[in-house]
Structures are given as C-alpha cells and as structure tokens.
Amino acid sequence: MNERAIPILPCRYLDDIVPFYEALGFKVTFRQARPNPYVCFNRGGIDLHFFGLEAFEPENSMGTAILLVEDTGVLFDEFATGLRAAFGKLPIAGIPRITRPRRKQGTTAGFTVVDPGGNWLRISALGETEDDGSGSESRLERVLMSATRQGDSHGDEARAISVIEAGLLRHGEATDAGKLPLLVYLAELHHRTGNPGLAASVLDSVDALTLTSGEREALAAELANAAELRASL
C-alpha cells in the first residue's frame, strides 16, 4: 500500500505562509505565482500545499489537517525552536499561534498550530487511542483535560476559562503543586483573549504558590512556560 493524501489549504498571500512554515522546518518543493499562487511544502513524511486567494480572511478559515507523528513533544520542541529563532518569541495568541502539548479529554495527547492562513494543524501521536479521561488522573488533572479540549481543540477560550475557574473554586483544597498547571493555562488563555492584565494577575498567583524543591523540579516545564508567557505580555 503506497497511498498518500496531501491537503490543499487556503491563505491570503504566499509571502505570509512561506516564512512561517520554513520556521517550522518545512522546505519549499514548488512555488508559482501564475496562473494562480501555489506553494508546496515538505517536512519528513508531511506534505502540505497552499493556494493564495487575496480576498480570503484567515479569521474565517475552516482549513484543518491532522498530522500524526511519532513524538508530539519532540516535534513541538523543534517547531518552538524554529519559531523563536525566526520571530523572537513563541506566538501563543492570535494568528498565527501554537499551543503547548497537553492531554485533552476524549482525544489523544498533542498540540495545535494555527498558521498565518488561519488553518489548524492538529498534531497527535501516531498509534495512540482516544483518552476518555477515566484513568488515574486527579480531579484537577481532569479539569485541565476538559479545559484544554475546549480551549485548544474547539478554540473556545471563554469556555475553557470558565471550566478552570470553576474547577479551582470547587477543589480549593488542592495542593499548590496541583493548581499550578491550571493557573499557567488560565494565564495563557487570558493572553489569547486579549487580556494581558488578567494574565499577569494569574501569573502573580503562580509566583505566590508554595512549592517544595521536588515539586519545582517536577513542574519545571510548567514554570518555564509561565516565565516565557510573562515575558511575552
């Protein structure tokens, strides 16, 4: 079996798309301006094609592609490194943007890239089955999985914020270490929705948490995410 499927996605201008995908490590394999703008990218086993349409509005895009990869964490790190090098920071709000790898209730672990054309690349781990959230997760972990499904999979940041705030209120007795991932994600959601003041306030709450040295080590990635988010505000 040697079948292949190559999505063809819209964008306004090729010059918006090309630098972004090159930052992600894709190579341009073909490009033309006439008779219609068209560009082809390749990265390993991933092929993506785009056509240009000046009247296109990225905010209204419904373009989506699912990318199945061996290791979502490794790919995220490679994408993030390229984006930081090209644009000076990780774009986590607006268009384009990238979400961080998180487990989502009812879906496999992964992350999302929204490109300059408003197209969603949904990256999941190859071979993983869906997660119904019925395992050994703590109550706050289940809250976070539910929130990321709303905020990252559905793009409904307002609903995700409500889920986290309700979860933190309902489980106020939880440890500071248990609350930290939810607070970091809540700050990111406020930033995405154009509320940097609220994001900064939540990050102040993160800074005020009491953590042991062991907890800080275990949560080092989340603390690094919080520091990078504060720097971007």
Side-chain angles (χ1 to χ4, degrees), residues 47-64:
D47 289 288
L48 296 171
H49 293 191
F50 294 85
F51 63 94
L53 186 65
E54 288 192 20
F56 182 73
E57 296 291 342
E59 295 81 2
N60 298 328
S61 177
M62 299 182 69
T64 302

Side-chain angles (χ1 to χ4, degrees), residues 51-124:
F51 63 94
L53 186 65
E54 288 192 20
F56 182 73
E57 296 291 342
E59 295 81 2
N60 298 328
S61 177
M62 299 182 69
T64 302
I66 296 173
L67 309 184
L68 302 178
V69 302
E70 291 289 343
D71 191 318
T72 58
V74 169
L75 187 64
F76 173 83
D77 288 342
E78 292 175 356
F79 279 6
T81 296
L83 290 171
R84 290 188 186 105
F87 304 111
K89 64 178 181 179
L90 199 63
I92 59 175
I95 298 176
R97 67 181 180 271
I98 184 170
T99 68
R100 299 183 186 277
R102 293 186 176 94
R103 293 178 63 195
K104 305 172 185 66
Q105 190 174 38
T107 65
T108 58
F111 64 99
T112 300
V113 174
V114 180
D115 71 19
N119 303 294
W120 287 52
L121 305 184
R122 302 176 184 272
I123 296 93
S124 296

Side-chain angles (χ1 to χ4, degrees), residues 5 35-36 61 64 70 87 97 110 124 145 155-156 176 178 183-184 206 213-214 219 221 223:
N36 57 289
S61 177
T64 302
E70 291 289 343
F87 304 111
R97 67 181 180 271
S124 296
M145 290 166 61
D156 190 345
D176 282 1
L183 289 171
V184 173
V206 170
S213 58
L219 294 166
L223 291 170

Side-chain angles (χ1 to χ4, degrees), residues 4 28 33 40 47 54 56 110 128 139 158 168 173 180-181 199 222:
R4 297 173 64 200
V28 175
C40 307
D47 289 288
E54 288 192 20
F56 182 73
E128 284 195 0
R139 289 173 296 178
L168 289 170
E173 78 289 351
L180 188 143
E222 291 289 357

Side-chain angles (χ1 to χ4, degrees), residues 124-189:
S124 296
L126 187 66
E128 284 195 0
T129 57
E130 289 198 352
D131 184 354
D132 62 6
S134 61
S136 60
E137 300 85 6
S138 71
R139 289 173 296 178
L140 284 185
E141 285 172 335
R142 290 195 291 272
V143 170
L144 181 59
M145 290 166 61
S146 178
T148 53
R149 180 170 178 81
Q150 297 297 326
D152 292 355
S153 295
H154 295 169
D156 190 345
E157 288 87 0
R159 176 60 180 159
I161 289 170
S162 295
V163 169
I164 293 176
E165 290 178 338
L168 289 170
L169 184 63
R170 186 166 61 251
H171 305 300
E173 78 289 351
T175 64
D176 282 1
K179 295 175 183 177
L180 188 143
L182 278 81
L183 289 171
V184 173
Y185 186 45
L186 180 60
E188 180 180 320
L189 290 167

